[in-house]
Amino acid sequence: MSRILNLISIQLRKDFTACGGISRLPLRTISCTPSKHAEEGDASSVLRKRWKDTADTVIIGGGCVGVSLAYHLAKGGMKDVVLLEKSELTAGSTWHAAGLTTYYHPGINLKKVHFDSIKLYESLEAETGQAVGFHQPGSVRIASTAARVDEMKYQMTRTHWHVTPQYLIGPEKVQDLFPLLNIDKVLAGLYTPGDGHIDPYSLTMALAAGARMYGAQIYNPAPVTGLKPTSDGKWDVQTPHGTIRANCIVNTAGFWAREVGKMIGFEHPTIPVHHQYVVTATVPEVKALKKELAVIRDLEGSYYMRQERDGLLFGPYEKMEKMVLQDSWVRDGVPPGFGKELFESDLDRIMEHIEMAMEMVPVLKKADIINVVSGPITYTPDLLPMVGPHQGIRNYWTAIGFGYGVIHAGGIGKFLSDWIINREPPYDLIECDPSRYGKWTDVPFICAKARESYGFNNVVGYPKEERFAGRPTSRTSGVYKLLKDKCSMGFHAGWEQPHWFYKPGDDTGYKPSFRRTNWFSSVGGECRLVMEKVGVIDLTPFGKFIVKGKDSLKLLDHLFANNMPKVGQTNISHMLTPAGRVFAEVTLTQMTPGEFLLITGSGSELHDLRWIETEAAEGRYDVDINNVTDKIGVLGIAGPNSRKVLQKLTDEDMSDAGFKFLHCKNIQLAGIPVRAIRISYTGELGWELYIEQKNMAAVYQAMMEAGKDEGIDNFGTYAMASLRLEKGFRGWGAEMNCDTNPLEAGLDYFIKLNKPADFIGKAALQEIKGKGLKRKLSYLSVRTDDVDPEGNETIWHNGKVVGNTTSGAYSYSSQQSLAFGYLPLELSSVGQQVEVELLDKKYPATVIQEPLVLTEPTRTRLAKKAKA
């Protein structure tokens, strides 16, 4: 310890010339401000190449992500690709990155991004002739607590159905991969072969060589000074060298991304964070090794460590209260000329982690520190990048907010280029959609969430995770104040929404677990409430749009695969991609002739709106599209007594004959105007009530008073999830998304291939139907103990991986665990036996007939039929 403390006066490296790793790069400052000659001279003489005044795509920013996109677009066949870099390639965050690469990601979709990145990096040197300094000794995530071991078991079942190899290993194997470890505290490790590190500078230069080889133009220094959209959806990109007319533009500007966004009126929620890592001099024990050390991630110590030549490199993630944000750049912009500078290092800030690293790797106690790198990396509030087209303006795309740009660069470049060229995403990546943020994402929220995300970087990742910094935002419903102290709230697209409600004697609060936890029994009570009496739920986070105008029916008939509902009626409809995959699920209501109310999930509000707006603009439809999500609150009321409660408050006939299923009416409830739709995602008798936010509390209180004799109470989204699964209802983002087609998802009823309109994806679906399906969504009963499926678990048969679950929950009605999952056709028949992996144990599961519980409209229809 004393040796490290005595080395605070650090001799920063001047120029390590050894190949591989970050140490080959000099620490130097480079002005990012164009020279006078660059501003005033002829573009060709300054840039030493001919200036293009038109392009298919202009990429703004020359870090590893932007250059990867240029490489992939050009390789994919796009003829006119231009990348503009304000100073020199890698300036910003790329040049000083630690360069870690890993197949691992706790999410599902980003595993594909990591896989594509590593596979590209393995072959890039042979393709371009440019060395990339790629080391692949593997990596190990270390578990030193029981909760960590559970987390690794949880992640194993989420990985087995992917192509990436990953292993849960014991302490002996961990020590074999990293012999310098103090193994006393190690319980297990998550080992990923093929992981490692790469030289970010060399990687970027190789991608640039490949981009040029395939025909892309890279201009630098070429700062963008202005962006102006044209009436036909193109862009004029202004630089000191001239203007380029582009079909689309992509912001890949790293921590300058906010400034690029501000040119067109966007305040992108990104913020620079100070990240430090430490490089040691030669460590004799490291030099004596015969093979390179695996990269380790000590999760309790919250740091990573890898071999750097004959020494070690380790980087910690400080706690929330110690980490540093460069929030002045959010307010005032990045200082002119900043490009390859670093922040002043601060070892005191990371000393706690240094001590833990020395405890885990004792040779560090004798190591000399020769360098501390403290540089800016960019965070978004949730730590995920913002990738894709942006809602609100045509042909503006982003690939920004990368806290881990090196491992994301290759895969994101491929993902985004495929989307730009083919006009649809190659797979589902909605968690990175730039439109997941909105006007509610203000600067205090950005700062609070970035601080939390950085400080919680290595905390245990539980199912149904909640994080509380920056909450609540401006997005609270009209009943939030009435409910907030009675329940455990969840966070959905900026909204607070009740997950479950407390009862006397409950163990309240947020208590995450990999097994059944404190909410389990209470949610069962809420399910019984809805099945036997009547419950009320706040559904305000739904996305809500009104589409009207001369061409509204024509536009929506082209967008959706279902028939259009008649006036006063409602249906469930799906927007498909050109390849016939499910882009969105929307509830459609035609309120008056040519005026439609569209309801979508909270997480897909702007995702869906952008798709609709783009089609309306490109097809030149005469429509008005209005997002009323924040103006309109929604209350759901469901259960056998729901009709009695509403009838007490209105003169409208609420009977089955007077108010039919999937019909809509404007009614008065307690004298307040309400748009009521007879529908419930619980599958029970129910209505959704659309109310102005200012009137929500009054309607809620009136219903609760009117329902006292009917046993009325609140229920939350956990109960709704259980009830919808019992009824066999599919959920968008789980059973259906851009990775699935509606036929394999069992959505045939909603897909009208014989309707006259040539809806998007129709031809592709006809082809898919003609060829026949290879897999099918199946309904599973799982025989578990104290753990329930939740989705993305591996399904096994005869010792082989055969599929994956999409969602799961406990059925309180039938006292068993249920799951949806995709299985090969030959294993999808009712009665088929398979196994579902949960926490490293394979539980028996059976394909059963769906639904387990009939919906209320079906029960009513069958009862009438039996009576007749």
Side-chain angles (χ1 to χ4, degrees):
M1 178 63 184
S2 59
R3 184 173 181 82
I4 285 191
L5 288 174
N6 289 334
L7 288 164
I8 298 295
S9 55
I10 298 159
Q11 174 67 44
L12 291 180
R13 61 192 159 97
K14 297 299 180 183
D15 186 5
F16 290 113
T17 56
C19 291
I22 57 94
S23 299
R24 64 180 300 164
L25 295 174
L27 279 177
R28 55 200 177 107
T29 59
I30 295 176
S31 173
C32 289
T33 306
S35 66
K36 184 176 181 181
H37 179 61
E39 292 178 352
E40 297 181 357
D42 175 73
S44 298
S45 61
V46 173
L47 300 172
R48 298 183 299 279
K49 61 180 68 175
R50 183 172 172 272
W51 179 256
K52 292 176 67 70
D53 56 12
T54 62
D56 286 323
T57 299
V58 167
I59 301 162
I60 305 168
C64 59
V65 173
V67 178
S68 172
L69 177 57
Y71 162 85
H72 280 98
L73 283 172
K75 187 176 181 179
M78 186 171 283
K79 299 301 182 186
D80 293 311
V81 179
V82 172
L83 184 145
L84 302 175
E85 162 53 43
K86 72 194 304 287
S87 60
E88 64 175 277
L89 300 183
T90 76
S93 296
T94 298
W95 74 278
H96 62 74
L100 299 182
T101 58
T102 177
Y103 285 113
Y104 176 88
H105 193 277
I108 295 301
N109 299 321
L110 277 161
K111 294 181 193 297
K112 302 173 186 175
V113 171
H114 288 208
F115 180 85
D116 286 345
S117 289
I118 290 177
K119 292 307 174 188
L120 171 65
Y121 302 164
E122 288 175 343
S123 62
L124 192 60
E125 184 172 334
E127 180 184 5
T128 65
Q130 193 95 5
V132 296
F134 194 20
H135 299 246
Q136 293 184 275
S139 78
V140 182
R141 301 173 70 82
I142 295 173
S144 52
T145 67
R148 286 290 181 193
V149 176
D150 273 352
E151 180 186 25
M152 291 180 179
K153 292 176 179 178
Y154 174 71
Q155 287 299 335
M156 284 300 297
T157 188
R158 294 161 65 85
T159 300
H160 276 141
W161 59 280
H162 287 266
V163 295
T164 305
Q166 184 172 285
Y167 304 96
L168 186 61
I169 60 175
E172 298 79 10
K173 178 64 174 176
V174 173
Q175 192 163 42
D176 179 57
L177 292 164
F178 202 101
L180 307 181
L181 275 179
N182 172 6
I183 211 71
D184 293 346
K185 295 183 179 180
V186 177
L187 299 178
L190 200 64
Y191 171 48
T192 315
D195 285 5
H197 55 95
I198 195 168
D199 175 12
Y201 180 85
S202 298
L203 168 65
T204 307
M205 294 304 139
L207 289 167
R212 295 185 183 102
M213 183 171 71
Y214 292 115
Q217 292 289 336
I218 298 176
Y219 295 134
N220 66 291
V224 172
T225 56
L227 296 169
K228 295 196 177 300
T230 65
S231 59
D232 59 353
K234 297 183 179 182
W235 288 91
D236 284 338
V237 183
Q238 299 169 345
T239 79
H241 309 296
T243 297
I244 303 175
R245 174 67 59 89
N247 293 334
C248 83
I249 57 174
V250 188
N251 182 350
T252 63
F255 52 70
W256 290 281
R258 280 182 65 87
E259 296 178 34
V260 173
K262 283 181 178 180
M263 294 180 183
I264 52 176
F266 287 126
E267 296 272 352
H268 293 313
T270 61
I271 186 169
V273 172
H274 290 225
H275 179 62
Q276 298 186 100
Y277 62 81
V278 176
V279 182
T280 75
T282 295
V283 176
E285 293 87 345
V286 175
K287 187 173 184 179
L289 293 171
K290 295 183 179 180
K291 65 176 181 178
E292 184 174 356
L293 292 167
V295 179
I296 63 167
R297 291 171 175 84
D298 179 4
L299 303 174
E300 300 309 314
S302 193
Y303 63 85
Y304 56 83
M305 184 181 296
R306 69 168 176 82
Q307 186 171 334
E308 173 65 17
R309 296 178 296 123
D310 292 331
L312 295 169
L313 178 154
F314 65 100
Y317 292 92
E318 309 96 295
K319 293 178 180 177
M320 289 174 58
E321 61 271 17
K322 289 188 176 181
M323 61 85 66
V324 176
L325 299 173
Q326 194 63 32
D327 51 352
S328 64
W329 291 8
V330 176
R331 295 189 307 268
D332 308 324
V334 182
F338 193 100
K340 285 196 171 178
E341 287 76 18
L342 294 171
F343 300 128
E344 186 175 345
S345 60
D346 183 359
L347 277 180
D348 288 339
R349 205 169 76 228
I350 61 174
M351 190 54 64
E352 174 186 359
H353 303 277
I354 292 175
E355 292 173 358
M356 287 188 281
M358 289 191 302
E359 180 70 22
M360 186 64 79
V361 185
V363 297
L364 273 179
K365 296 177 182 178
K366 300 178 181 179
D368 290 339
I369 295 177
I370 58 170
N371 192 13
V372 179
V373 175
S374 179
I377 58 174
T378 308
Y379 265 41
T380 62
D382 63 7
L383 189 52
L384 295 176
M386 300 170 62
V387 179
H390 206 289
Q391 186 272 329
I393 196 162
R394 293 168 64 190
N395 297 318
Y396 172 67
W397 300 61
T398 65
I400 59 177
F402 291 90
Y404 310 102
V406 171
I407 184 54
H408 286 155
I412 288 295
K414 184 178 188 303
F415 174 84
L416 209 51
S417 70
D418 287 350
W419 192 349
I420 291 170
I421 291 170
N422 300 324
R423 299 182 61 80
E424 67 174 280
Y427 52 85
D428 180 53
L429 201 61
I430 192 172
E431 62 265 52
C432 295
D433 192 311
S435 299
R436 68 187 184 273
Y437 299 117
K439 295 178 181 178
W440 52 271
T441 317
D442 57 19
V443 172
F445 177 83
I446 298 168
C447 292
K449 296 305 283 188
R451 185 174 294 279
E452 177 186 57
S453 293
Y454 189 90
F456 283 16
N457 211 294
N458 287 311
V459 299
V460 175
Y462 288 100
K464 295 181 171 60
E465 184 180 54
E466 287 292 324
R467 295 186 177 181
F468 298 96
R471 294 169 53 182
T473 70
S474 59
R475 278 191 146 178
T476 55
S477 78
V479 295
Y480 169 72
K481 291 181 179 179
L482 296 174
L483 302 180
K484 65 184 179 71
D485 296 327
K486 300 178 181 180
C487 65
S488 179
M489 286 282 185
F491 190 70
H492 302 274
W495 296 96
E496 299 290 326
Q497 186 176 28
H499 277 167
W500 64 283
F501 285 83
Y502 308 144
K503 295 299 178 193
D506 280 351
D507 180 13
T508 61
Y510 173 62
K511 307 286 176 64
S513 175
F514 294 103
R515 296 171 173 83
R516 293 171 186 167
T517 184
N518 59 330
W519 52 262
F520 183 78
S521 296
S522 295
V523 170
E526 293 176 21
C527 289
R528 288 188 292 274
L529 169 77
V530 174
M531 293 290 288
E532 299 169 6
K533 297 178 182 178
V534 55
V536 176
I537 184 172
D538 183 6
L539 298 173
T540 299
F542 281 163
K544 317 167 200 71
F545 322 130
I546 293 176
V547 178
K548 60 183 178 179
K550 182 167 69 75
D551 293 335
S552 60
L553 183 63
K554 183 180 177 183
L555 168 65
L556 297 178
D557 208 18
H558 178 60
L559 280 168
F560 290 94
N562 204 347
N563 291 323
M564 290 298 100
K566 297 177 182 178
V567 175
Q569 295 186 22
T570 296
N571 70 20
I572 307 298
S573 297
H574 299 84
M575 292 191 290
L576 309 180
T577 71
R581 294 175 296 177
V582 185
F583 189 83
E585 181 178 74
V586 176
T587 303
L588 273 178
T589 300
Q590 189 167 186
M591 300 180 295
T592 62
E595 183 182 16
F596 293 84
L597 174 65
L598 280 62
I599 306 299
T600 188
S602 59
S604 51
E605 174 197 345
L606 300 182
H607 167 273
D608 295 0
L609 182 60
R610 182 199 60 77
W611 188 267
I612 296 167
E613 288 175 337
T614 299
E615 189 61 33
E618 293 183 354
R620 297 184 179 181
Y621 292 93
D622 184 1
V623 293
D624 178 60
I625 303 169
N626 188 16
N627 185 359
V628 295
T629 299
D630 289 349
K631 298 177 183 177
I632 305 297
V634 187
L635 291 172
I637 182 169
N641 294 343
S642 58
R643 178 179 283 124
K644 294 178 183 178
V645 174
L646 294 180
Q647 195 64 78
K648 292 179 183 181
L649 299 172
T650 184
D651 294 330
E652 188 72 35
D653 181 4
M654 304 300 289
S655 70
D656 195 49
F659 204 139
K660 295 180 179 179
F661 180 57
L662 293 179
H663 278 58
C664 171
K665 291 185 179 183
N666 290 328
I667 66 173
Q668 295 277 322
L669 277 184
I672 296 171
V674 172
R675 177 170 287 117
I677 301 175
R678 189 178 157 193
I679 191 173
S680 175
Y681 289 101
T682 66
E684 294 303 306
L685 175 66
W687 281 262
E688 288 177 2
L689 310 172
Y690 292 80
I691 316 154
E692 287 189 35
Q693 286 275 17
K694 64 181 181 180
N695 294 327
M696 268 193 83
V699 172
Y700 170 83
Q701 290 170 322
M703 288 196 300
M704 299 306 281
E705 181 65 28
K708 282 183 177 179
D709 293 340
E710 317 305 334
I712 199 168
D713 209 341
N714 299 293
F715 72 103
T717 58
Y718 286 178
M720 186 166 70
S722 174
L723 291 166
R724 74 97 179 165
L725 204 64
E726 291 180 341
K727 308 303 192 302
F729 292 172
R730 279 79 169 142
W732 191 88
E735 284 70 55
M736 55 183 130
N737 54 30
C738 286
D739 294 328
T740 61
N741 69 66
L743 303 182
E744 64 188 3
L747 298 171
D748 311 54
Y749 177 81
F750 305 101
I751 308 299
K752 310 303 183 188
L753 286 173
N754 59 349
K755 81 171 188 175
D758 185 21
F759 61 84
I760 297 172
K762 184 176 184 178
L765 270 191
Q766 288 170 331
E767 184 177 346
I768 291 169
K769 185 175 182 180
K771 290 181 177 178
L773 300 176
K774 295 181 180 179
R775 65 174 189 166
K776 181 183 176 184
L777 186 69
S778 301
Y779 199 46
L780 299 170
S781 170
V782 189
R783 296 184 288 284
T784 65
D785 38 51
D786 64 341
V787 59
D788 299 297
E790 66 158 29
N792 295 311
E793 293 95 1
T794 301
I795 303 176
W796 297 80
H797 181 254
N798 288 340
K800 295 182 179 180
V801 175
V802 294
N804 64 280
T805 62
T806 55
S807 60
Y810 185 76
S811 165
Y812 295 89
S813 298
S814 63
Q815 303 288 294
Q816 62 182 306
S817 288
L818 298 176
F820 271 124
Y822 277 101
L823 289 171
L825 277 185
E826 64 271 19
L827 296 178
S828 63
S829 299
V830 172
Q832 175 68 53
Q833 301 293 311
V834 293
E835 294 175 307
V836 174
E837 182 185 349
L838 302 169
L839 294 181
D840 203 34
K841 181 179 177 181
K842 295 172 184 174
Y843 291 88
T846 305
V847 178
I848 61 174
Q849 185 67 46
E850 60 172 296
L852 189 65
V853 179
L854 295 175
T855 64
E856 179 275 333
T858 303
R859 298 197 304 265
T860 300
R861 186 174 66 252
L862 292 176
K864 288 180 179 178
K865 185 177 180 181
K867 186 176 181 180

